[in-house]
Amino acid sequence: MNPAPTRDRKVLFASLALGLVALCWGTSFAVIKDIIETIPPFTLMSLRFGLSTLLLGALFGPRLRRLSARQLGKSLVIGLFLTAAFVALILGIRHTTASNQSFLVGACVIFVPFLAWIVSGQRPGGYAVAGALVATAGIAILTLDRTFTINQGDMLSILCSLAYAGHMVAIERLGKDVDPIASTLVQFAVASLCFIALTGTFESFRFEMTPKLWKAVTYLVVFTTVIAFAIQNLAQRYLSSTRTALILTLETAFGGIFAVLYLHEQLTAKVLLGCLVILAGILTEQTQWRFLRGK
């Protein structure tokens, strides 16, 4: 039996699953922006990753026994990249708009192929680079305006983008021989412990768990953390970090749509054009436009 069709199906399934992850993450910017004034940022992330660790641990905790000391060390390193990304994200969103942060974090798509090149020495293909550039242009169309400047929040969001690109590359390079669910659990635990330490140092654990905050935290934990990162770690067993980043640029398109529905922002031709250009970037990398060439 030819294994190629099976491999192709797994790649397709992983790509579709990452599209769902992008949908979840696209909504998270507006959700966090909506509640960030009611709870300190590190406290929110302590809740998010602490509860995520407990939930994933309750479901798959025994899988940690499968990790060797070397695999555990690899997962710890990946977890540090994840933590760095979310430290920058949660601090940055207090000083910039959700749409600006969505663009800047989504710009990791342009960093990933070149970080992977530095780490692996393998030059990215022309279609991968072209797709990343086109997708980034789409994100820019979707979110930027003529008054865009690099303020504190924007700079932190750029650092988040770099850290998250590093997270994708680290999963690709370090996570190949590691149980992806067990690795995800370790990553959550690392982020949880770091944010608990930051909360104890710079904030307090005092907050009022209102119904609105409870709903937001539940959504962030279940859908945008436990399910989303488990899918990402599983999907990257079949997809390169470059392809992963390209698919996840859809989160910015979904974020624009969700901003209209949730934050009642105006749907404009600019938003629609940006979504179409992002789609063109993803199609460039995923299909190399073979169907137009009859291949």
Side-chain angles (χ1 to χ4, degrees):
M1 179 180 291
N2 186 356
T6 300
R7 174 72 183 183
D8 289 343
R9 282 195 294 270
K10 289 180 178 179
V11 169
L12 176 61
F13 183 79
S15 299
L16 293 174
L18 276 180
L20 293 177
V21 171
L23 173 61
C24 291
W25 283 344
T27 64
S28 66
F29 295 103
V31 171
I32 293 173
K33 187 68 175 180
D34 192 43
I35 63 171
I36 195 62
E37 298 304 324
T38 65
I39 182 172
F42 293 147
T43 305
L44 174 60
M45 290 296 103
S46 294
L47 276 176
R48 179 176 182 175
F49 284 101
L51 293 174
S52 296
T53 303
L54 292 175
L55 178 57
L56 195 62
L59 294 172
F60 300 105
R63 297 178 75 153
L64 288 174
R65 300 192 191 101
R66 302 180 184 180
L67 297 182
S68 65
R70 186 167 177 268
Q71 292 171 331
L72 177 61
K74 290 180 177 181
S75 299
L76 290 172
V77 172
I78 299 171
L80 290 175
F81 279 105
L82 179 67
T83 303
F86 275 90
V87 168
L89 182 146
I90 198 63
L91 292 178
I93 203 167
R94 302 191 75 179
H95 303 287
T96 189
T97 64
S99 59
N100 266 16
Q101 185 169 80
S102 175
F103 161 69
L104 292 168
V105 173
C108 69
V109 68
I110 201 65
F111 299 133
V112 167
F114 300 101
L115 283 177
W117 185 7
I118 292 171
V119 172
S120 67
Q122 295 180 351
R123 185 174 180 175
Y127 281 101
V129 174
L133 291 172
V134 172
T136 301
I139 297 171
I141 293 170
L142 184 67
T143 59
L144 295 183
D145 57 35
R146 286 174 290 182
T147 63
F148 179 78
T149 57
I150 301 295
N151 59 32
Q152 180 183 3
D154 296 330
M155 185 58 66
L156 285 166
S157 298
I158 292 172
L159 293 176
C160 172
S161 181
L162 283 167
Y164 193 53
H167 179 252
M168 292 184 194
V169 174
I171 290 175
E172 181 181 33
R173 296 291 295 173
L174 302 177
K176 289 182 178 179
D177 63 341
V178 183
D179 181 330
I181 299 299
S183 178
T184 302
L185 180 53
V186 172
Q187 294 170 47
F188 287 174
V190 170
S192 176
L193 291 173
C194 289
F195 277 114
I196 288 172
L198 289 169
T199 300
T201 302
F202 298 105
E203 299 172 355
S204 71
F205 293 95
R206 298 176 183 175
F207 60 93
E208 182 182 357
M209 184 59 85
T210 63
K212 179 180 179 179
L213 182 58
W214 175 250
K215 291 177 183 178
V217 169
T218 300
Y219 178 74
L220 290 173
V221 167
V222 175
F223 293 99
T224 72
T225 308
V226 172
I227 294 176
F229 280 104
I231 288 175
Q232 182 194 348
N233 280 268
L234 283 164
Q236 283 200 242
R237 297 176 74 89
Y238 307 103
L239 303 174
S240 69
S241 55
T242 298
R243 176 169 290 190
T244 297
L246 276 164
I247 296 171
L248 290 179
T249 59
L250 280 170
E251 76 178 77
T252 305
F254 289 132
I257 295 170
F258 189 70
V260 174
L261 299 176
Y262 187 74
L263 299 179
H264 308 292
E265 294 183 1
Q266 185 179 2
L267 180 62
T268 64
K270 176 184 173 184
V271 172
L272 294 174
L273 177 61
C275 292
L276 290 174
V277 175
I278 289 171
L279 178 60
I282 294 173
L283 286 173
T284 298
E285 194 277 341
Q286 291 274 1
T287 71
Q288 300 183 12
W289 300 105
R290 293 187 186 94
F291 59 92
L292 295 180
R293 305 194 303 268
K295 296 181 180 180

